[in-house]
Amino acid sequence: MPIDTGFLNVSLRDSSSNITASGMTVGQSIDASHLQGIDFFIDHPTWNYDSANDKVYLVDQSTSQAVELTRVGNHFRWSVGANDLGGYATAPGSSVDKTVYAMVSRDTGTARTSLTSKTWTLTLNRRRSFQPTQISGCLLWATAYAVTEAAGASVQTWDDASAQDADLSQATSGQRPVRRNTGEGRPYLEFDGTDDLFATSLANFAAPCTVAVVARARTVDATVRGIVQVGGTNGVRIAFDNANLKGLSGSDVANTTLPATNTWFVAVATKAAGGNVTIQLNLNSPVTGSSSAAVTAGTVQIADTAADAVAAVDVAEVAVWGSVLSAADIETVVNGLGRAYGVL
């Protein structure tokens, strides 16, 4: 049966520790690693929830962007996602107020009716709850969120936000990557696959180490092409060919399946001073390849590594630690970076 006109009654039921609420003004951090959701009571004197025909949404009044709520017991849950209600358009560290309302849409196949609530203010606060420097021993952290050049402009220097201040740079203008944004508004650097390259000026990177990168391959072939290299000739590298995502040290390699081209991923490689090299894709189990290579000190290189061919690759974030991180820390890294760039 159709639902009557009039306003739904909406009240805040619950919030996670990452949510603050005052009346119907709700602040939420869209990139918080442990954000669970917000629960609402939604009712109306003549409306009873029909699981077969009703869908309940939270709607941005100005853009009509909507996120579907899930029925949990006698309330409705917003499992907050980083892109919900256009949250990706909010600059990192800043906030924007959205005027929103709840809406029930009933579709019986022969008739569609809807019922809305009154509006209230929702504050989207794009706060990153994870930064690589929070894990001890971070030697380099370069994030595209810190790049100040406009979309489409070439980037000469990629600032290192770690205490080492080992900025990545390219003096030759024709070999600089270009700042781009994803369709969701997330920034990244585009390396052309011809001669674009970034490197640090501080050569203190050696084994043991952990290197993490948020990237995607644009084109692939049978040639091994480098995304990032840490250290000298036998440096720990993350690279790819047309089938595999690779963790390398010297000529020793650990392979895992490369995601489809133009698909973002988080990769983490580790190398003990005299031990094996591993590669982990997203939250998958790490893959280990034997290695006895002694990693010598050297720079960090991006997209055109010393041991691999140049790569047509997009890179959003790179972090390096001077130790082999624990499995728990690696999970934190993958979760934190994955959520910041919409990978997970």
Side-chain angles (χ1 to χ4, degrees):
M1 62 176 290
I3 48 181
D4 294 343
T5 59
F7 284 114
L8 295 168
N9 299 308
V10 182
S11 59
L12 185 69
R13 171 185 170 86
D14 197 10
S15 61
S16 76
S17 60
N18 292 5
I19 297 296
T20 58
S22 176
M24 287 311 298
T25 299
V26 181
Q28 64 98 3
S29 299
I30 63 174
D31 280 337
S33 295
H34 304 291
L35 191 60
Q36 299 301 311
I38 307 175
D39 294 344
F40 300 99
F41 280 129
I42 301 177
D43 57 41
H44 184 273
T46 62
W47 169 64
N48 292 305
Y49 177 66
D50 181 343
S51 60
N53 299 312
D54 289 354
K55 292 188 175 182
V56 181
Y57 299 92
L58 192 63
V59 184
D60 180 348
Q61 183 182 47
S62 62
T63 65
S64 297
Q65 289 176 310
V67 57
E68 187 174 354
L69 307 183
T70 303
R71 177 78 167 182
V72 180
N74 63 347
H75 55 277
F76 294 87
R77 176 164 297 165
W78 176 22
S79 298
V80 181
N83 294 337
D84 290 352
L85 304 183
Y88 55 78
T90 308
S94 64
S95 63
V96 62
D97 288 343
K98 300 275 188 177
T99 300
V100 299
Y101 59 89
M103 179 182 72
V104 174
S105 176
R106 175 168 292 177
D107 186 356
T108 62
T110 57
R112 182 188 296 272
T113 56
S114 62
L115 189 63
T116 64
S117 73
K118 294 182 178 180
T119 62
W120 74 89
T121 300
L122 176 74
T123 301
L124 303 185
N125 175 24
R126 190 160 196 163
R127 175 181 61 84
R128 284 186 59 165
S129 63
F130 169 75
Q131 298 181 357
T133 50
Q134 293 170 340
I135 295 179
S136 178
C138 186
L139 299 177
L140 181 140
W141 174 35
T143 172
Y145 278 116
V147 172
T148 58
E149 284 82 358
S154 63
V155 179
Q156 180 177 357
T157 302
W158 199 3
D159 291 342
D160 172 23
S162 80
Q164 302 294 322
D165 198 26
D167 295 344
L168 296 152
S169 61
Q170 176 53 261
T172 304
S173 61
Q175 297 178 2
R176 295 170 185 165
V178 173
R179 153 74 186 273
R180 303 289 189 193
N181 292 325
T182 67
E184 297 82 20
R186 294 187 174 93
Y188 65 91
L189 299 185
E190 177 187 273
F191 294 82
D192 64 7
T194 302
D195 57 6
D196 286 359
L197 164 69
F198 260 154
T200 62
S201 58
L202 184 64
N204 69 338
F205 300 97
C209 78
T210 299
V211 55
V213 63
V214 182
R216 63 181 178 183
R218 295 199 309 279
T219 60
V220 299
D221 54 27
T223 302
V224 178
R225 301 184 179 277
I227 302 174
V228 56
Q229 176 170 323
V230 179
T233 305
N234 291 318
V236 180
R237 289 135 46 214
I238 297 176
F240 62 90
D241 59 17
N242 54 1
N244 297 307
L245 181 66
K246 298 173 174 288
L248 301 108
S249 181
S251 60
D252 298 310
V253 60
N255 291 319
T256 190
T257 302
L258 178 73
T261 54
N262 298 306
T263 300
W264 288 101
F265 58 82
V266 182
V268 180
T270 64
K271 173 70 167 67
N276 295 332
V277 62
T278 68
I279 182 76
Q280 179 170 331
L281 172 65
N282 297 334
L283 292 175
N284 298 347
S285 298
V287 178
T288 300
S290 62
S291 175
S292 58
V295 178
T296 54
T299 63
V300 171
Q301 295 174 279
I302 308 293
D304 187 6
T305 62
D308 303 306
V310 65
V313 65
D314 299 328
V315 180
E317 195 145 328
V318 178
V320 179
W321 293 264
S323 64
V324 175
L325 297 185
S326 68
D329 280 344
I330 289 175
E331 183 176 357
T332 298
V333 170
V334 174
N335 268 316
L337 296 183
R339 289 177 183 272
Y341 292 95
V343 176
L344 303 178

